[in-house]
Amino acid sequence: MTVSSECDAVPADSTSDVGVVIVAAGKGLRLGADLPKQYLPLGGVPILRRTVEAFAGHPRIGPIVVVHGPDQAGICRETLTGMANIHYCVGGATRRASVRGGLEVLGTLVAGDAIVLIHDAARPFVSFDVMDRVIDGACAHGAAIPAIAPVDSVKSLGPDGTVGGSVDRDGLRLAQTPQGFRLDLILRAHDEASSDWDASDDAALAESIGVSVRFVDGDGMNEKITHDWQYRAAEARLNGQATFRVGNGFDVHRLGTREDGIEGVFLCGIHIPHSRALIGHSDADVALHALTDAILGAMGLGDIGDHFPPSDPQWKGAPSDLFLTHAANLVREAGAEIMNCDLTILCERPKIAPHRAAMRDNVARLLDLPVARISVKATTTERLGFTGREEGIACQAAVSVRVP
């Protein structure tokens, strides 16, 4: 096992009475996705980032160690880019080995009698209240775990799938994470418990060496995402909490002769042959300009001129996809997600229909969205106005953005 304590950002004060180990080393493929479940988007934000952010925002918590799989170093760091006081550890062959590695890294950052919270990466809805109860319980008793009482009837499994009997649920509890321990105590449990036993949780290791683990109240919303139905339910829950914003953009460029002699027009990043060219800011792609303004408008971030002033010579002739991807990155950095884009191009010529598929594909590529979320339409103005006289081309764009 190898350990690392690199940070993507300058760490905050790494000394604290409470540290966290987040176990994210599993392959997590039960959901049937190409990525391990901890990296799947949930409301537009990877599950792992939601989980880490939940702890990073708690005022009592200091360093956080994220234990990732041997082949997940790149995606793990990318997922947590910009977060301070995050340290990394490569996991082992079992959950127990992964936790042990994370504890060793944490031991270089906090005192031996500090409290450590050990948490599953796939529980992104953990609350401050649960964290506080576990921290207080571990401070008072050395070990504490959150748990909830089962609400369904409990049966034992008999032969051939039959019911073996009913189990009294009054004395049962369903254990959750984070599980809290004094660091030196849980390290001793890892050392002294049978080496070939991959315990289902850390409380089991502590119990095996005679430690009395205290129950504290858990939270029914603090569910571990394991199966597809749980993932879909979590998405639905976030959709119910999300705010949807709408942005509109409109842009116009005249048709003429470019100084560089390039003929044809750029629309949605696609070069379309034409007898004249669009004149204006950058490559004068009126469609991408309108779409960029719509995205910035949805986020309340001004317009394209605020971010890329037309008076700045560095943008002369620049491809407009730079502006669009910049706006899309601002959306992602805010933890939001572009849901769909709808563009209407107003012109007599060139004909848009032959190029519509390529335009949709290119916008989808630039925004990293499914092409089904991109609409490109065109209309004339029945020979009325400047577009009808073929003096210029206009575009209006609308986008919807989901903001958690």
Side-chain angles (χ1 to χ4, degrees), residues 151-173:
V151 296
D152 297 315
S153 296
V154 181
K155 307 289 184 181
S156 64
L157 181 64
D160 302 322
T162 61
V163 175
S166 297
V167 179
D168 183 3
R169 66 187 181 193
D170 287 345
L172 299 179
R173 292 295 182 270

Side-chain angles (χ1 to χ4, degrees), residues 19-74:
V20 180
V21 172
I22 295 179
V23 188
K27 295 181 178 179
L29 300 178
R30 291 188 201 176
L31 296 182
D34 294 334
L35 289 175
K37 65 184 177 186
Q38 58 268 36
Y39 301 109
L40 293 177
L42 189 62
V45 179
I47 291 174
L48 175 60
R49 188 172 184 104
R50 284 190 178 278
T51 301
V52 176
E53 286 179 343
F55 285 92
H58 195 295
R60 297 174 69 182
I61 286 174
I64 299 173
V65 177
V66 179
V67 186
H68 58 73
D71 57 348
Q72 297 171 6

Side-chain angles (χ1 to χ4, degrees), residues 80-134:
L80 302 177
T81 296
M83 298 191 68
N85 218 7
I86 310 299
H87 306 261
Y88 299 93
C89 171
V90 179
T94 63
R95 183 187 186 280
R96 176 177 173 181
S98 295
V99 172
R100 177 56 193 262
L103 293 172
E104 290 175 356
V105 173
L106 190 64
T108 67
L109 304 168
V110 298
D113 60 353
I115 298 300
V116 55
L117 303 182
I118 303 170
H119 189 68
D120 299 321
R123 292 185 190 267
F125 298 123
V126 59
S127 68
F128 280 9
D129 286 343
V130 169
M131 295 179 205
D132 282 328
R133 288 194 290 268
V134 174

Side-chain angles (χ1 to χ4, degrees), residues 108-261:
T108 67
L109 304 168
V110 298
D113 60 353
I115 298 300
V116 55
L117 303 182
I118 303 170
H119 189 68
D120 299 321
R123 292 185 190 267
F125 298 123
V126 59
S127 68
F128 280 9
D129 286 343
V130 169
M131 295 179 205
D132 282 328
R133 288 194 290 268
V134 174
I135 292 170
D136 292 342
C139 286
H141 306 284
I145 65 171
I148 58 174
V151 296
D152 297 315
S153 296
V154 181
K155 307 289 184 181
S156 64
L157 181 64
D160 302 322
T162 61
V163 175
S166 297
V167 179
D168 183 3
R169 66 187 181 193
D170 287 345
L172 299 179
R173 292 295 182 270
L174 304 178
Q176 299 180 327
T177 68
Q179 299 189 350
F181 308 90
R182 210 175 61 234
L183 179 59
D184 53 3
L185 184 154
I186 193 62
L187 280 171
R188 180 165 63 86
H190 273 265
D191 288 339
E192 296 181 10
S194 175
S195 60
D196 59 356
W197 176 35
D198 186 25
S200 61
D201 68 358
D202 299 278
L205 292 173
E207 296 160 30
S208 73
I209 65 167
V211 173
S212 178
V213 180
R214 180 62 59 100
F215 277 134
V216 299
D217 287 339
D219 184 350
M221 303 301 285
N222 182 26
E223 188 173 44
K224 184 177 181 181
I225 299 173
T226 302
H227 301 289
D228 178 65
W229 66 267
Q230 292 170 313
Y231 178 70
R232 287 185 282 111
E235 275 282 6
R237 174 183 172 187
L238 284 174
N239 283 338
Q241 296 176 349
T243 297
F244 286 86
R245 299 181 181 178
V246 175
N248 295 293
F250 183 80
D251 198 30
V252 175
H253 285 298
R254 65 184 176 89
L255 287 163
T257 301
R258 284 175 51 140
E259 294 178 1
D260 56 15

Side-chain angles (χ1 to χ4, degrees), residues 279-292:
I279 310 300
H281 186 241
S282 63
D283 59 9
D285 189 326
V286 66
L288 291 190
H289 291 186
L291 181 56
T292 300

